[in-house]
Amino acid sequence: MSVVIEQPRSPRSRKAANWEKYGWMYMRASGALLVILIFGHLFVNLWVGEGIKAIDFAFVGGKWSNPFWQVWDGLMLWLALIHGTNGMRTIVNDYTSKEGIRKALNIALWGICAVLVVLGTLVILTFDPCPANGIAANLPSFCPAR
Amino acid sequence: MPTKPAGTLYRGKVGMWSWVLHRITGVAIFFFLLVHVLDTSLVRLSPEAYNAVVSTYKTPVVGLGELGLVAAILYHALNGVRVILIDFWRKGVKYQNVMFWVVVAIAFIAFAGFAPRHLIHVFHLG
């Protein structure tokens, strides 16, 4: 079995940090923040103005020229990916019966999470709204090439 | 005269089904998130690459899928608040059943407001 439930009324052991407790707390803390971050994200990207129709490179370039949206999206990236991966870990722990498969799935989940967090963070931090390789018409209006 | 047990929070009824829905919507949102980080990362490659991929988000089929995504996010977010209230609010357990229907009502109203506006954009009716 993947989850060991302690004997009731057994003395509390203080050998290791209680990671399950921290995970439980993280889901609630990040969840509360994500409600604000994601509803804000949906409002600005899908509701305001032309919604989905208006989303293109120039739209993203305009947003990420502002540190406010870089921080907003960076927070959303980290909190949501870790929240989602931890939720998937819970599901894997619930429904797998073979220890090897459970371990393999969880390693795959956290591996994917790490790759996407690093990728997304690098994209937000190294993003250039006016790249030289872009067709001028596709660039934000504040770019010199336009 | 023995009284029937008052029932549990999770077995059957609203407590269980709200949990099932929370799982299903959570998994759906997780897989979208993986794709969404990858498609957004294309802005680092070239404006043309990003615009080509994001244009698929404006097609009717994906546009309808976005409605499903927004519905899933509305439910998962609001029911998540309900879970937090059950855990931390003194009267949370007592009102968990009512809170579920409040979640459904708010999600439904928000969805009813969003869906027509989004469909107008996707199907160029504006």
Side-chain angles (χ1 to χ4, degrees), chain B residues 67-84:
Chain B
L67 280 185
L69 176 72
V70 168
I73 290 171
L74 277 170
Y75 175 76
H76 196 88
L78 294 169
N79 190 58
V81 174
R82 171 177 164 269
V83 169
I84 292 173

Side-chain angles (χ1 to χ4, degrees), chain A residues 11 29 53 65 87 108 113 122:
Chain A
K53 255 166 98 178
S65 304
C113 177
L122 285 175

